[in-house]
Amino acid sequence: MTIEPAIFSPDNDGFEDVLTVAYRFEQAGFVGSMSVFDIAGRLVTRVTRDGLIAGEQQIPVVGREWAAGVYHYRLRALDPNSGAELASASGRMLRLR
């Protein structure tokens, strides 16, 4: 999983306005979600919610309404039948004004 740019500034100036989370799952048929949390651990947004995740994917994150600061994200892959977590990845990003 990659995240680019790690520092983003969604101020509509055409430079680093959108953060992109790219990932690849080899097997098809998983469902997944990506959640973003503030530094205190409060849920800020769910960028995807139980959508199918397979192959190479990119999730754009805009975050215009977020305050400047550090945010944590978590991407989870779940078995659609049992709901068991099969894989997860997490990281952090910095939103500038």
Side-chain angles (χ1 to χ4, degrees), residues 57-80:
Q57 302 288 323
Q58 293 185 343
I59 302 171
V61 179
V62 179
R64 282 192 187 104
E65 68 283 357
W66 303 353
V70 176
Y71 292 86
H72 299 272
Y73 63 89
R74 183 169 183 212
L75 179 64
R76 299 173 60 209
L78 308 170
D79 181 294

Side-chain angles (χ1 to χ4, degrees), residues 10 16 27 54 65:
E16 296 180 343
Q27 297 177 345
E65 68 283 357

Side-chain angles (χ1 to χ4, degrees), residues 13-86:
D13 66 354
F15 181 71
E16 296 180 343
D17 288 330
V18 176
L19 176 131
T20 302
V21 177
Y23 64 89
R24 177 178 179 79
F25 283 103
E26 297 298 327
Q27 297 177 345
F30 296 135
V31 295
S33 65
M34 181 178 150
S35 301
V36 178
F37 304 90
D38 67 14
I39 195 72
R42 295 178 296 241
L43 179 66
V44 175
T45 190
R46 277 205 178 90
V47 179
T48 61
R49 185 176 287 165
D50 298 330
L52 287 176
I53 55 174
E56 292 184 24
Q57 302 288 323
Q58 293 185 343
I59 302 171
V61 179
V62 179
R64 282 192 187 104
E65 68 283 357
W66 303 353
V70 176
Y71 292 86
H72 299 272
Y73 63 89
R74 183 169 183 212
L75 179 64
R76 299 173 60 209
L78 308 170
D79 181 294
N81 297 319
S82 68
E85 184 175 296
L86 302 171

Side-chain angles (χ1 to χ4, degrees), residues 86-97:
L86 302 171
S88 69
S90 61
R92 61 182 170 200
M93 61 187 93
L94 176 62
R95 194 255 196 236
L96 298 177
R97 272 268 183 243

